[in-house]
Amino acid sequence: MPKVVVSRTLTSPDWNASVVADPALVRKAVDAADGPSYVFGGLQTVAALAEADLIDEYQIFVHPIVLGAGTRFFPPLARRQAMTLVEARTFDGTVTSLRYARAREV
């Protein structure tokens, strides 16, 4: 399966991958894909992809702990992106899996 790595520092990836420094360039790989595309990434990558309107579904695993501060999970966006809860599951009574899909335009 071809892979796209979003990185500002990596130049030569291994295992059937290409590197892009700008997450907005992921659109080219998504358009060329034969089937669904998946992104596993940190907040900066997800924020850039959300800003480029490239996310159709979020799969979030919540490991609750109260810290009182931290990084925002969703960045401020230029326009609202409505999502619908598709699935929610709990593992071991603590971790919750939430799956949200892009809401249909009305």
Side-chain angles (χ1 to χ4, degrees):
M1 175 183 295
K3 296 157 190 65
V4 175
V5 177
V6 179
S7 175
R8 292 185 184 101
T9 57
L10 184 67
T11 56
S12 55
D14 294 333
W15 34 259
N16 194 24
S18 58
V19 177
V20 296
D22 182 357
L25 297 175
V26 172
R27 167 58 70 195
K28 188 185 274 187
V30 169
D31 290 343
D34 183 24
S37 298
Y38 299 92
V39 173
F40 298 92
L43 291 177
Q44 289 181 333
T45 300
V46 172
L49 295 173
E51 185 63 41
D53 200 24
L54 293 174
I55 299 177
D56 294 322
E57 181 176 297
Y58 289 94
Q59 294 183 14
I60 303 165
F61 290 83
V62 180
H63 301 260
I65 184 168
V66 178
L67 297 175
T71 305
R72 292 176 73 140
F73 189 78
F74 292 102
L77 297 174
R79 66 183 187 94
R80 182 178 182 196
Q81 295 177 349
M83 305 299 282
T84 301
L85 181 64
V86 175
E87 179 181 30
R89 297 188 312 172
T90 303
F91 303 96
D92 297 331
T94 57
V95 177
T96 304
S97 166
L98 303 170
R99 192 171 131 224
Y100 287 91
R102 183 183 296 259
R104 294 183 181 187
E105 300 289 327
V106 180

